[in-house]
Amino acid sequence: MATQRALLVVDVQPTFCEGGALGVEGGNAVAEQIARYTAEHRDRYDLVVTTQDWHIDPGDHFSDNPDFIDTWPPHGVAGTAEAELHPALVDLAPDDSVKKGEYEAAYSGFEGTNPDGVHLAEILQRGGITAVDVVGLAESHCVKETALDAIKSGLRARVLTDLTEPVSPELGEQARERMTAAGVELVPSGSV
């Protein structure tokens, strides 16, 4: 059976880029690179799906005294410009989009639903998807968790290493070790 592949564009939002509430160094550059990559290689994918942190009242996920492990400063607040897709992705035209974390912490795109309440796993299943490429922000958190959940869902998963950035080099290294151990392929976009 032929591989049906989806591109999952995870949390490429201003809130996770330089100047945002939880800005990742290199975030804006990643957004530009993802925009370029998808414009040039859209034909490689049967589906393109975006995810967004979309927090309304996520409880103790937000904190005035965050530990940056389980609690964070407010970010990805629903309805704000910071929570929208990054302006670089204005021409992306995804096939579907899921939002996650309205009333709880949510790291994996598989915790999100589209406007009709359909979870990401079902969107991919309906599309006959058997493999995913994961890109976006941040590699050490939401990209990692989305890729791990893809594997748990029985999909083949690759993270395109030049189209993501971690919160820190140390956390990025830990994330790559976990993903590799779980069976996620780590490859540069130029080799796919």
Side-chain angles (χ1 to χ4, degrees):
M1 187 173 94
T3 299
Q4 294 278 106
R5 188 174 298 278
L7 179 67
L8 304 182
V9 180
V10 175
D11 296 6
V12 182
Q13 302 164 260
T15 201
F16 298 122
C17 295
E18 293 90 343
L22 284 178
V24 172
E25 191 174 328
N28 285 317
V30 162
E32 298 284 349
Q33 291 161 340
I34 290 170
R36 215 168 16 256
Y37 173 80
T38 52
E40 293 169 6
H41 303 295
R42 182 71 179 238
D43 59 343
R44 294 181 180 174
Y45 297 100
D46 300 287
L47 275 180
V48 175
V49 183
T50 59
T51 75
Q52 289 163 262
D53 250 15
W54 197 255
H55 295 311
I56 296 169
D57 181 9
D60 59 10
H61 183 58
F62 283 178
S63 173
D64 292 332
N65 300 296
D67 62 15
F68 294 93
I69 298 168
D70 298 310
T71 59
W72 307 88
H75 61 276
V77 175
T80 66
E82 273 203 356
E84 298 298 334
L85 289 177
H86 193 284
L89 302 183
V90 67
D91 295 323
L92 183 67
D95 297 296
D96 215 332
S97 184
V98 300
K99 292 180 174 154
K100 59 188 176 64
E102 285 95 332
Y103 299 101
E104 62 191 356
Y107 295 95
S108 169
F110 285 83
E111 297 175 80
T113 59
N114 72 7
D116 297 323
V118 180
H119 281 88
L120 178 56
E122 188 174 342
I123 292 166
L124 299 174
Q125 187 177 32
R126 288 179 183 178
I129 299 300
T130 56
V132 296
D133 286 350
V134 186
V135 301
L137 300 169
E139 179 186 29
S140 48
H141 291 76
C142 298
V143 167
K144 173 192 74 178
E145 294 301 327
T146 300
L148 292 174
D149 277 355
I151 294 288
K152 288 178 196 165
S153 298
L155 299 165
R156 292 199 313 277
R158 301 188 296 204
V159 169
L160 306 186
T161 54
D162 54 320
L163 301 180
T164 185
E165 286 288 346
V167 168
S168 70
E170 300 77 21
L171 290 174
E173 188 175 324
Q174 292 171 18
R176 289 186 289 278
E177 287 172 4
R178 273 202 60 203
M179 289 189 288
T180 300
V184 177
E185 286 183 75
L186 306 177
V187 297
S189 64
S191 72
V192 299

